[in-house]
């Protein structure tokens, strides 16, 4: 994901994320006071995932690395699982 965000930052988020992941990220960003763009790009969603992993996203910060992305992705999966369990849409075994 880190390399995808660097190589294709202007692609649509559906290129790498499911609709459920996009929905959860949009809700998390809205709760933090960040509104989604009209034409969202994958780089914006990957930045939100990185924020979950501890990335501060300041203007002078370098792009997020693999460890921060991994932490954010892990946290996103936990949040998504919790949302699915709460809504009754969990499709686990």
């Amino acid at each position: 994901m880190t390399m995808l965000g660097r190589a294709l930052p202007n692609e649509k988020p559906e290129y790498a994320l499911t609709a459920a992941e996009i929905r959860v990220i949009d809700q998390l960003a809205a709760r933090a006071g960040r509104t989604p763009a009209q034409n969202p790009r994958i780089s914006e969603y990957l930045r939100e995932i990185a924020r979950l992993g501890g990335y501060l996203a300041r203007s002078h910060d370098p792009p997020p690395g693999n460890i921060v992305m991994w932490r954010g992705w892990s946290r996103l999966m936990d949040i998504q699982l919790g949302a699915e369990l709460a809504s009754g849409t969990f499709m686990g075994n």
Side-chain angles (χ1 to χ4, degrees), residues 10-49:
N10 295 320
E11 288 293 327
K12 293 183 179 185
E14 293 85 3
Y15 191 76
L17 302 169
T18 66
E21 293 164 349
I22 291 170
R23 189 172 45 253
V24 169
I25 293 169
D26 285 342
Q27 291 173 351
L28 290 170
R31 285 187 61 142
R34 293 183 295 276
T35 57
Q38 293 292 69
N39 296 316
R41 301 174 309 163
I42 193 167
S43 61
E44 295 163 3
Y45 282 88
L46 294 179
R47 186 177 306 113
E48 290 297 329
I49 293 170

Side-chain angles (χ1 to χ4, degrees), residues 1 4-5 7 13-14 33 38 41-42 44 52 54 59-60 68 72-75 77 81 85 93:
M1 288 301 239
L4 180 65
E14 293 85 3
Q38 293 292 69
R41 301 174 309 163
I42 193 167
E44 295 163 3
L52 292 173
S59 61
H60 64 279
V68 168
W73 191 258
S74 177
R75 187 158 180 230
M77 293 300 104
L81 176 62
L85 288 171
N93 295 342

